[in-house]
Amino acid sequence: MTPASIEQELREQIAQLQKELRDPADYLARKGVRNTIVFFGSARIKPPAETQAVMDRLHCEFRGMVMKDREEWDELDRASHEHYMSRFYAGAESLAGELAHWSRATFASDEQHLVTTGGGPGIMEAANKGASQAGQPTIGINIEIPTEQRPNPYITPGLSLHFETFPMRKFWLMYFARALVIFPGGIGTLDEFFEIYTLMKTRKAKRYIPIVLFGREYWQELINFETMVRFGTLDRGSLDFFRYCDEVDEAYDFITRAILRDHERNGS
């Protein structure tokens, strides 16, 4: 690339970042958004009814058969795994619904804590669905990527935002956040968690944000923080910035109490 083309590309990127910083600020201010509870998690996790239907079909097909074909075993194994993981879809939907009911009952209309997601399928869809069915507006902050990311149908019309850049998308996912719920997910979920975790640890976040890692078995097997503590690359106190939860009621109690303490302390 020539110096002129590099300069032009930088100008275009800066202009896009400025646009995605300025426009959502104006738009969300007009919508009255001040507080959010953000759900992260895999776009690949499916609803329980969908995975159960697949399991029922396979059991009917394979009943009485001696399965010798490796592909048949692989198909059944995949279906069993997807059905096991679908419990997290149910958990996200239930937790989002309970938090939406709590927010409506606890705060004035201009202080509602709106369930917000990355706007796609899977865990994001489940959380938007739960909040929507509880009668609360719910936000989707989407981005165009080659696979998986399409706006789900449970985002409130007028509250679906589209981004071209990841930095600005993550900025707006974080900006109004008063709590984070992080369900099992892949690289994107890890990226979001570690950026927020770093901001909290380095005191660069504006305020304390309670973080739930939902699904202790998944998270502890995926990220062994105790190894980091043992080798001295992480101090044990840093483990206090998040909490593992396996039950909806446990996560609900932790989040609502933390938000109320912060609300009393800061008056907003």
Side-chain angles (χ1 to χ4, degrees):
M1 296 178 68
T2 66
S5 64
I6 292 174
E7 182 177 356
Q8 178 61 29
E9 182 176 348
L10 286 173
R11 287 181 182 276
E12 291 173 358
Q13 291 180 355
I14 291 170
Q16 183 66 33
L17 290 170
Q18 289 176 330
K19 181 178 187 299
E20 292 188 352
L21 181 63
R22 180 184 61 250
D23 291 356
D26 296 338
Y27 185 77
L28 293 171
R30 292 198 303 272
K31 293 292 184 179
V33 176
R34 295 178 58 190
N35 304 298
T36 62
I37 300 174
V38 182
F39 282 65
F40 295 116
S42 176
R44 302 184 182 190
I45 293 177
K46 299 176 181 179
E50 182 178 332
T51 62
Q52 184 63 59
V54 173
M55 291 294 295
D56 292 344
R57 175 180 62 79
L58 292 176
H59 284 148
C60 286
E61 290 178 4
F62 298 150
R63 184 178 293 122
M65 294 174 55
V66 177
M67 294 173 60
K68 298 180 180 179
D69 192 325
R70 178 66 185 178
E71 290 184 1
E72 292 175 343
W73 283 109
D74 288 345
E75 184 179 9
L76 185 58
D77 184 61
R78 267 195 313 274
S80 298
H81 176 74
E82 288 182 348
H83 186 54
Y84 174 81
M85 294 298 288
S86 70
R87 67 196 179 104
F88 292 115
Y89 185 106
E93 181 180 347
S94 176
L95 179 57
E98 291 193 18
L99 290 170
H101 280 300
W102 168 78
S103 176
R104 293 178 64 198
T106 305
F107 296 99
S109 58
D110 63 343
E111 294 180 340
Q112 291 293 300
H113 289 58
L114 304 184
V115 168
T116 299
T117 76
I123 293 298
M124 295 172 281
E125 176 185 284
N128 287 132
K129 180 180 180 181
S132 175
Q133 292 182 340
Q136 187 181 54
T138 181
I139 302 170
I141 298 181
N142 215 305
I143 190 166
E144 184 176 342
I145 57 177
T147 59
E148 299 169 350
Q149 195 73 8
R150 63 187 185 281
N152 70 68
Y154 300 102
I155 302 168
T156 300
L159 289 178
S160 180
L161 284 72
H162 176 82
F163 287 81
E164 297 291 338
T165 65
F166 274 105
M168 286 299 99
R169 179 186 185 236
K170 286 193 286 186
F171 175 85
W172 286 112
L173 279 167
M174 268 293 296
Y175 188 74
F176 295 109
R178 300 295 176 257
L180 305 169
V181 192
I182 306 179
F183 279 78
I187 297 301
T189 303
L190 288 172
D191 174 54
E192 290 155 344
F193 166 62
F194 276 115
E195 178 158 343
I196 294 159
Y197 186 34
T198 300
L199 292 173
M200 295 283 289
K201 272 178 45 57
T202 57
R203 305 298 197 274
K204 294 299 183 181
K206 294 190 304 179
R207 61 206 296 173
Y208 166 72
I209 303 171
I211 301 174
V212 166
L213 293 180
F214 200 100
R216 178 188 294 268
E217 179 187 11
Y218 179 87
W219 288 111
Q220 288 189 330
E221 185 172 335
L222 181 65
I223 310 170
N224 193 336
F225 287 106
E226 290 296 334
T227 297
M228 299 172 74
V229 171
R230 181 162 60 90
F231 280 93
T233 57
L234 185 71
D235 60 278
R236 183 163 295 280
S238 295
L239 304 184
D240 296 334
F241 285 99
F242 59 84
R243 176 167 176 170
Y244 296 110
C245 290
D246 285 313
E247 301 296 333
V248 167
D249 289 347
E250 179 186 11
Y252 171 87
D253 288 342
F254 173 67
I255 291 168
T256 54
R257 289 174 183 172
I259 288 176
L260 288 174
R261 283 196 302 270
D262 184 68
H263 184 78
E264 292 171 0
R265 185 163 48 244
N266 294 286
S268 61

